[in-house]
């Protein structure tokens, strides 16, 4: 509200205080405007997004290859040198790929000199990677009927095998392909229908949706078992991301949440296999993670969202906070313009990250020892320095907010120093959320709450398979086939992605 000159105080000190207050408020508003401008027009991350970086590299490499090809076509010596280099750097093709032998032989086996028969003294062998486009085929199942000539009413026939889609045409592998294309390759069902149509297969989007829904129903117990396994861990990551869902009553979308709970102990040589499970919820209330993680005892690594604090109230869960989120707040201040305090905070945080780079992959005891020796002094010094800086700046600025954010979470931020199992940030679970964001970008929204639950179920199994270096298509095909063949619910552990990874290792060793 604008004040008139008559409304201004006559007291000089009061007038100075008002001006200083307005200046602080204006500085805060200018900072907010800069952040909004950066969010609207600038980069969305502290570093160049990986997909955009790769796109730029692809273009540069294509241009380089174009120029090299032109030069090599003009110079045979240069071409021979590049071929030799390419052979040294190309590696070897995987042994499990089928080999198709193509023999390029001479037209005549007569010696061009004397005419006698030539004998074979050896051969040159080279390999090229070939591809056969995806092909549809029809599996025809025949069930002969048998009758007894003596007993006219006796007819014997093998029972029909169970089908994933009763009365439908797909095999388990076909349905698995649809699931992987939608939730791993981020191809909406209508685009898949267009791809199939180009190969002469008429499949409606609604038909594909029916396959996905039925498969999700069968996979639900495996998803639940995966969650139970992760909750039995002593340390988990947690995060959440928006999931736009169509709201038919209003003809618009509503904002649901996909909660992600991840385990990855590979950074400290932990024995448990990595995994991630997504759970859909219609809101972001603190009751959601409390219900999802009911029974979990251990360390939960999260961002600064206050909704997780209710989990720590019962003393069964300890919260470890994320330095990446702290860094991001100071980075936004530094990127908007000269900010000495924010820049110094970034420098000190970078020292903590350099230590983490050096100890990644060591045992948790070794990590704790190094952190106690090197990280503890840096963290203590940073806390003292931030406390001092907070007394020297206006409390209404964004910088003061960033400092208060850091100091208010200091116990959770420094918990990693005393426990080598804890990471310095929650980037592990944030990486697990990226595929969800890509799918959201391509599919725009889920069609219903049930559709979002299917999204969570299938994406959990696919992303966990990827974390364990298990090929998702073969994994889902195997799981759906076993379920249709009556795999008992008491043995669901055999259907988890890491069980397939263990079997693969055993077969490779044999």
């Amino acid at each position: 509200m604008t004040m008139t000159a008559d409304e201004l105080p006559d007291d000089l000190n009061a007038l100075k205080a008002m001006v200083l207050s307005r200046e602080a408020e204006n500085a805060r508003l200018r900072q907010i405007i800069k952040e909004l401008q950066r969010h609207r027009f600038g980069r969305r991350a502290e570093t160049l997004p990986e997909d955009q970086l790769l796109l730029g590299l692809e273009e540069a490499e294509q241009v380089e290859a174009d120029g090299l090809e032109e030069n090599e076509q003009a110079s045979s010596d240069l071409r021979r040198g590049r071929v030799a280099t390419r052979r040294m750097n190309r590696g070897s093709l995987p042994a499990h790929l089928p080999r198709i032998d193509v023999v390029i032989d001479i037209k005549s086996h007569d010696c061009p000199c004397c005419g006698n028969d030539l004998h074979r003294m050896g051969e040159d062998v080279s390999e090229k990677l070939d591809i056969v486009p995806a092909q549809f085929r029809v599996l025809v199942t025949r069930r002969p009927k048998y009758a007894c000539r003596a007993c006219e009413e006796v007819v014997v026939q093998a029972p029909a095998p169970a089908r994933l889609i009763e009365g439908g045409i797909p095999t388990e592998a076909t349905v698995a392909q649809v699931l992987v294309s939608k939730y791993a390759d981020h191809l909406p069902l209508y685009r898949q229908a267009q791809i199939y149509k180009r190969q002469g297969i008429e499949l409606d989007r609604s038909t594909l949706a029916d396959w996905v829904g039925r498969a999700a129903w069968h996979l639900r117990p495996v998803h639940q078992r995966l969650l139970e396994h992760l909750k039995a861990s002593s340390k988990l990551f947690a995060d959440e991301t928006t999931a736009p869902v169509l709201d038919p009553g209003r003809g618009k979308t509503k904002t649901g949440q996909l909660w992600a709970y991840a385990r990855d102990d590979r950074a400290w040589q932990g024995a448990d296999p990595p995994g991630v499970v997504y759970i859909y919820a219609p809101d972001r209330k603190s009751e959601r993670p409390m219900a999802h993680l009911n029974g979990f005892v251990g360390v939960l690594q999260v961002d600064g969202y206050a909704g997780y604090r209710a989990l720590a109230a019962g003393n069964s869960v300890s919260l470890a906070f994320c330095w990446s989120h702290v860094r991001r707040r100071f980075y936004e201040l530094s990127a908007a313009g000269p900010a000495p305090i924010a820049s110094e905070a970034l420098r000190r945080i970078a020292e903590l990250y350099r230590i983490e780079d050096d100890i990644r992959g060591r045992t948790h005891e070794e990590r704790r020892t190094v952190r106690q020796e090197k990280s503890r002094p840096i963290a203590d010094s940073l806390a003292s320095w931030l406390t001092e800086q907070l007394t020297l700046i206006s409390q209404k600025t964004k910088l003061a907010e960033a400092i208060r954010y850091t100091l208010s979470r200091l116990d959770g931020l420094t918990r990693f120093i005393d426990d080598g199992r804890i990471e310095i940030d929650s980037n592990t679970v944030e990486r697990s959320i990226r595929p969800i964001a890509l799918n959201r970008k391509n599919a725009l929204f889920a069609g219903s709450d049930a559709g979002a639950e299917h999204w969570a179920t299938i994406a959990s199994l696919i992303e966990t398979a990827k974390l364990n270096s298990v090929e998702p298509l073969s994994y889902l095909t195997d799981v759906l086939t076993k379920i249709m063949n009556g795999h008992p619910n008491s043995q669901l552990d055999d259907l988890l992605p890491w069980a397939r990874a263990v079997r693969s290792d055993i077969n490779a060793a044999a």
Side-chain angles (χ1 to χ4, degrees):
M1 178 177 171
T2 304
M3 298 179 64
T4 64
D6 294 336
E7 294 174 319
L8 292 173
D10 295 327
D11 182 70
L12 183 60
N13 291 331
L15 193 59
K16 288 181 179 179
M18 179 179 291
V19 171
L20 291 174
S21 175
R22 291 292 177 90
E23 281 296 313
E25 180 66 14
N26 288 340
R28 190 179 74 87
L29 293 175
R30 281 194 294 270
Q31 181 63 39
I32 292 174
I33 291 172
K34 288 181 180 179
E35 290 181 16
L36 290 173
Q37 288 175 330
R38 177 171 167 268
H39 181 76
R40 177 65 180 85
F41 303 109
R43 290 191 286 119
R44 300 297 180 90
E46 300 171 30
T47 57
L48 189 65
E50 181 182 1
D51 53 351
Q52 293 190 21
L53 177 61
L54 293 176
L55 179 61
L57 289 175
E58 288 172 8
E59 297 293 338
E61 290 163 349
Q62 290 170 23
V63 172
E64 180 186 17
D66 182 281
L68 289 173
E69 182 66 19
E70 181 178 354
N71 294 335
E72 289 171 17
Q73 290 296 329
S75 171
S76 58
D77 292 339
L78 179 60
R79 183 166 61 253
R80 283 193 295 270
R82 292 293 302 174
V83 168
T85 302
R86 197 175 293 123
R87 283 175 176 166
M88 288 189 296
N89 295 335
R90 71 182 181 183
S92 59
L93 296 174
H96 71 271
L97 295 179
R99 260 63 178 175
I100 307 297
D101 284 342
V102 177
V103 179
I104 303 177
D105 207 348
I106 56 178
K107 293 182 179 179
S108 172
H109 287 199
D110 295 335
C111 176
C113 179
C114 65
N116 290 327
D117 290 340
L118 297 173
H119 71 277
R120 186 167 179 169
M121 58 178 289
E123 63 182 4
D124 290 333
V125 179
S126 64
E127 293 187 343
K128 295 186 293 184
L129 182 63
D130 190 26
I131 185 170
V132 178
Q135 294 180 343
F136 289 94
R137 63 182 185 179
V138 179
L139 297 184
V140 180
T141 301
R142 303 183 187 276
R143 294 188 297 129
K145 293 182 179 180
Y146 298 91
C148 177
R149 297 186 184 277
C151 307
E152 296 182 357
E153 296 183 359
V154 173
V155 176
V156 180
Q157 185 183 33
R163 290 193 178 197
L164 180 61
I165 310 297
E166 288 295 338
I169 61 173
T171 64
E172 287 78 9
T174 304
V175 175
Q177 175 64 45
V178 173
L179 298 182
V180 171
S181 296
K182 178 175 174 61
Y183 296 105
D185 300 328
H186 320 296
L187 278 174
L189 296 180
Y190 77 90
R191 292 184 186 172
Q192 294 189 50
Q194 293 170 351
I195 293 172
Y196 298 150
K197 188 174 182 179
R198 291 201 299 267
Q199 300 194 44
I201 307 297
E202 295 284 349
L203 290 172
D204 292 336
R205 178 199 49 78
S206 59
T207 299
L208 299 180
D210 179 71
W211 296 358
V212 171
R214 294 178 185 277
W217 185 86
H218 286 288
L219 293 171
R220 197 177 301 162
V222 186
H223 172 263
Q224 182 61 34
R225 185 57 183 156
L226 175 60
L227 175 61
E228 292 171 1
H229 259 279
L230 294 189
K231 284 166 55 176
S233 307
S234 60
K235 185 181 75 69
L236 289 177
F237 297 90
D239 201 359
E240 75 288 335
T241 187
T242 57
V245 177
L246 188 64
D247 190 356
R250 298 187 305 154
K252 301 179 180 179
T253 59
K254 59 184 179 180
T255 302
Q257 296 286 327
L258 277 174
W259 298 80
Y261 304 101
R263 176 181 70 196
D264 194 342
D265 299 338
R266 291 174 294 182
W268 52 272
Q269 301 181 19
D272 290 332
V276 60
V277 65
Y278 307 102
I279 303 177
Y280 171 74
D283 53 53
R284 200 185 180 211
K285 295 179 181 178
S286 60
E287 291 87 349
R288 301 303 178 183
M290 292 183 66
H292 301 159
L293 296 179
N294 181 34
F296 170 69
V297 177
V299 177
L300 187 67
Q301 188 140 19
V302 297
D303 56 22
Y305 173 47
Y308 293 111
R309 295 193 174 184
L311 283 165
N315 296 324
S316 61
V317 175
S318 298
L319 297 182
F321 293 126
C322 172
W323 276 97
S324 180
H325 284 76
V326 172
R327 184 188 186 280
R328 199 167 297 157
R329 288 174 173 261
F330 289 112
Y331 174 82
E332 290 172 352
L333 295 169
S334 178
I341 296 178
S343 298
E344 175 62 16
L346 288 175
R347 186 191 67 78
R348 297 187 182 212
I349 294 172
E351 292 181 6
L352 293 174
Y353 271 89
R354 276 193 290 271
I355 296 170
E356 292 303 303
D357 290 340
D358 292 338
I359 63 176
R360 184 165 290 109
R362 299 191 192 180
T363 65
H364 67 91
E365 295 92 348
E366 293 173 324
R367 282 155 58 101
R368 180 182 181 277
T369 300
V370 174
R371 287 169 174 174
Q372 290 283 341
E373 178 186 349
K374 297 181 178 180
S375 301
R376 173 67 71 185
I378 297 173
D380 291 345
S381 174
L382 176 60
S384 301
W385 180 75
L386 287 176
T387 302
E388 180 183 354
Q389 300 306 310
L390 188 60
T391 63
L392 303 176
I393 62 175
S394 170
Q395 302 303 298
K396 296 182 179 181
T397 61
K398 299 291 287 184
L399 177 59
E401 289 181 14
I403 293 176
R404 285 195 295 268
Y405 176 93
T406 306
L407 296 177
S408 65
R409 294 164 173 80
L410 200 58
D411 287 344
L413 286 170
T414 56
R415 186 159 281 128
F416 80 102
I417 296 175
D418 298 316
D419 190 337
R421 302 170 304 160
I422 302 175
E423 295 299 308
I424 192 173
D425 55 37
S426 57
N427 286 352
T428 296
V429 70
E430 288 197 10
R431 286 192 294 270
S432 296
I433 279 181
R434 285 176 190 167
I436 298 295
L438 283 172
N439 212 45
R440 180 177 61 210
K441 181 179 179 181
N442 288 326
L444 300 183
F445 54 81
S448 63
D449 287 337
E453 291 173 359
H454 297 163
W455 188 356
T457 297
I458 300 167
S460 298
L461 300 180
I462 288 177
E463 293 306 317
T464 299
K466 288 162 61 177
L467 284 172
N468 288 273
S469 300
V470 172
E471 201 281 308
L473 177 59
S474 60
Y475 163 69
L476 286 178
T477 301
D478 182 51
V479 169
L480 290 172
T481 301
K482 287 181 177 177
I483 289 175
M484 297 318 299
N485 287 335
H487 191 88
N489 283 341
S490 60
Q491 299 176 20
L492 287 176
D493 286 1
D494 296 338
L495 301 183
L496 295 176
W498 52 72
R500 184 177 179 87
V502 170
R503 289 197 301 271
S504 298
D505 291 342
I506 292 175
N507 293 335

